[in-house]
Amino acid sequence: MALEIIQYPHPTLRHPSRPVKKLDAELRGWVAEMFILMYRHKGVGLAANQVDLPYRLFVVNQTGEQGKGEELVFINPVLSSPKGLEEAEEGCLSLPGLYADVRRPAKITIDAFDLRGRPMHLELDGLFARVVQHETDHLDGRLFIDRLNSLGQLKVKAPLEEFEIQFMQRRREGGIPADEAIRARINELQATRT
Ligand code: ZN
């Protein structure tokens, strides 16, 4: 199965992902594919449910460039100790071309496991803090458009409708399965690793 980035309003983007209980070769292969997709689409982070996988994990490379910076995999992340507030522009590979200012805690602590199952503990600020909060939101079925103020909501209304029209069109053309088929596949994948 080749992974693909799914776009709003695909239902898996609203699926709250379950913690992973088994790290196997297939999962490691998917993580490698997620990095490739993230670089190809010029992102700095990508969550598993953005490639239609119902697992609580995401990948990050703050530089967004293969061979540069550090590639990090966060499995079963838990955020704590939010401090301050900062507003900055965000985009999302599941909403390509859409950008808006999002207010989030400026500092955050994250606990997670890496791909070998070793625990990680990081205290983050700046872009890195923003990226892990954006990606953890994905795992909870939340998108950055949910966090906009009323003016921001108004600005994204028309572009979101355009995404919805395109999604329905692709579905009519047979490119996207029906909701029931998507749910059945998600349940099957969850049963093997969560
Ligand atoms: Zn995103």
Side-chain angles (χ1 to χ4, degrees):
M1 180 183 74
L3 300 181
E4 261 178 59
I5 295 178
I6 56 171
Q7 293 187 1
Y8 173 89
H10 192 293
T12 304
L13 293 171
R14 293 305 190 184
H15 179 77
S17 301
R18 296 237 204 108
V20 182
K21 288 192 181 141
K22 197 169 86 182
L23 302 175
D24 54 15
E26 188 175 40
L27 191 82
R28 287 192 293 272
W30 284 335
V31 166
E33 264 190 82
M34 285 171 67
F35 275 112
I36 292 168
L37 285 170
M38 184 185 84
Y39 295 130
R40 189 182 301 156
H41 295 272
K42 316 252 176 263
V44 293
L46 187 65
N49 61 331
Q50 288 183 276
V51 292
D52 210 5
L53 294 174
Y55 305 126
R56 226 172 154 75
L57 70 92
F58 61 81
V59 301
V60 175
N61 182 338
Q62 277 193 85
T63 70
E65 283 183 59
Q66 194 159 17
K68 277 193 188 173
E70 196 181 2
E71 290 190 342
L72 289 165
V73 183
F74 292 86
I75 297 168
N76 301 344
V78 176
L79 302 181
S80 60
S81 308
K83 289 191 186 77
L85 274 178
E86 219 165 59
E87 195 168 69
E89 191 176 69
E90 291 186 24
C92 181
L93 296 183
S94 294
L95 288 149
L98 187 68
Y99 300 91
D101 289 336
V102 182
R103 189 185 286 251
R104 294 188 189 272
K107 294 183 182 181
I108 200 85
T109 299
I110 185 166
D111 284 277
F113 295 91
D114 70 10
L115 209 46
R116 293 201 221 160
R118 295 174 302 198
M120 307 160 64
H121 173 89
L122 297 170
E123 288 167 26
L124 304 173
D125 58 16
L127 175 68
F128 205 170
R130 183 166 292 274
V131 173
V132 304
Q133 291 178 80
H134 176 116
E135 300 308 329
T136 303
D137 268 356
H138 273 301
L139 303 182
D140 294 328
R142 204 175 296 142
L143 297 166
F144 79 95
I145 49 172
D146 305 340
R147 294 198 177 272
L148 305 180
N149 59 27
S150 51
L151 181 62
Q153 299 275 1
L154 205 60
K155 281 188 195 162
V156 300
K157 196 169 178 286
L160 289 184
E161 281 169 3
E162 192 53 44
F163 276 109
E164 286 157 20
I165 290 166
Q166 283 177 15
F167 182 83
M168 284 188 287
Q169 194 176 332
R170 249 177 280 146
R171 188 168 248 177
R172 269 199 305 274
E173 290 163 356
I176 295 163
D179 282 358
E180 307 79 68
I182 291 171
R183 210 174 304 125
R185 189 182 147 275
I186 291 291
N187 287 341
E188 210 175 292
L189 286 166
Q190 274 181 173
T192 60
R193 281 184 197 81
T194 70

